[in-house]
Amino acid sequence: GDSVTQTEGQVALSEEDFLTIHCNYSASGYPTLFWYVQYPGEGPQLLFRASRDKEKGSSRGFEATYDKGTTSFHLRKASVQESDSAVYYCALNSGGSNYKLTFGKGTLLTVTP
Amino acid sequence: NAGVIQTPRHKVTGKGQEATLWCEPISGHSAVFWYRQTIVQGLEFLTYFRNQAPIDDSGMPKERFSAQMPNQSHSTLKIQSTQPQDSAVYLCASSLDQLGGRGAETLYFGSGTRLTVL
């Protein structure tokens, strides 16, 4: 079945540090990949998505590139801010008749000023 | 647009009691999902409705969980005889379902109901 692996369970950074959260997936077909962000007391919200190999998704300074060869969709940001502190989820939908989103375990990002 | 509305935000029940969670999807969205979120398991799919019809309840624990969508504007998740292991945040999400159930839809989540079973 479909699966998403996020390597980092927690990441602690200082403001202006570079962020990388690794996401690897396993899916049948040609999945659509997503990054969702969840702030305390809220539900996950879409950060961005990508549907094709080499497509770059981006929003609010975050970006990730769909890499079918390495089955990866790593999240990066050049300079994090304290307001970026949240839980980040990588997710996929394998398309076709599959309507479910399969989520990774999430990565808690804590940014200190 | 108020987004997906879930009530109550917090619910505390005693072991063996019933809990009913409510969800109002975004107006015009025809797909509704329920997910359960725990520290250990993360986000788990429970069930899915399209145009109010139940499509997939494969994630639902069969014996005590049930979900309904009696009209376009709300869905309920009912847990009978709640157990401590049911403690979790229950998230409802909706989507436009422009692809007619063929996947890759963006989900819009509510803020969730935190269920605590004592």
Side-chain angles (χ1 to χ4, degrees):
Chain A
D2 298 343
S3 67
V4 176
T5 302
Q6 290 179 236
T7 309
E8 299 88 357
Q10 296 186 58
V11 174
L13 296 173
S14 300
E15 280 193 327
E16 301 184 9
D17 281 351
F18 189 93
L19 168 71
T20 300
I21 298 176
H22 295 94
C23 172
N24 288 90
Y25 68 89
S26 173
S28 56
Y30 211 122
T32 295
L33 305 176
F34 302 79
W35 276 102
Y36 278 78
V37 58
Q38 184 175 25
Y39 299 100
E42 299 181 8
Q45 57 184 267
L46 180 70
L47 196 53
F48 55 79
R49 52 187 279 173
S51 303
R52 301 182 305 276
D53 191 23
K54 308 306 180 200
E55 180 180 354
K56 178 188 285 188
S58 64
S59 175
R60 310 183 218 170
F62 292 90
E63 62 179 40
T65 300
Y66 192 134
D67 190 329
K68 197 170 190 301
T70 60
T71 61
S72 67
F73 194 53
H74 304 319
L75 182 67
R76 294 186 168 91
K77 187 175 185 183
S79 176
V80 294
Q81 302 301 311
E82 187 179 10
S83 57
D84 294 327
S85 298
V87 179
Y88 291 82
Y89 290 96
C90 185
L92 71 82
N93 179 289
S94 56
S97 60
N98 185 0
Y99 36 75
K100 300 177 198 177
L101 271 186
T102 298
F103 287 87
K105 292 288 191 184
T107 299
L108 173 62
L109 171 65
T110 304
V111 181
T112 52
Chain B
N1 191 332
V4 175
I5 298 171
Q6 289 190 250
T7 54
R9 289 297 308 272
H10 303 275
K11 186 168 183 67
V12 179
T13 65
K15 182 178 175 180
Q17 292 183 329
E18 182 177 287
T20 300
L21 313 180
W22 296 75
C23 170
E24 180 180 332
I26 293 172
S27 177
H29 283 195
S30 53
V32 172
F33 299 77
W34 284 94
Y35 278 78
R36 177 168 63 183
Q37 184 175 36
T38 60
I39 298 293
V40 174
Q41 297 295 332
L43 282 155
E44 300 175 280
F45 168 83
L46 293 177
T47 189
Y48 162 60
F49 294 85
R50 174 155 26 100
N51 294 321
Q52 301 171 232
I55 303 297
D56 182 353
D57 67 354
S58 60
M60 298 271 275
K62 294 302 180 197
E63 293 182 349
R64 298 180 294 104
F65 284 59
S66 63
Q68 295 183 324
M69 190 160 185
N71 56 57
Q72 289 181 335
S73 62
H74 89 272
S75 174
T76 58
L77 179 67
K78 183 179 292 186
I79 308 172
Q80 296 179 311
S81 185
T82 54
Q83 303 297 310
Q85 61 264 31
D86 299 331
S87 296
V89 175
Y90 290 83
L91 291 161
C92 176
S94 68
S95 74
L96 278 168
D97 193 32
Q98 291 174 318
L99 301 175
R102 293 194 298 278
E105 298 277 354
T106 294
L107 299 190
Y108 297 84
F109 285 86
S111 296
T113 295
R114 180 176 296 279
L115 175 66
T116 302
V117 182
L118 302 176

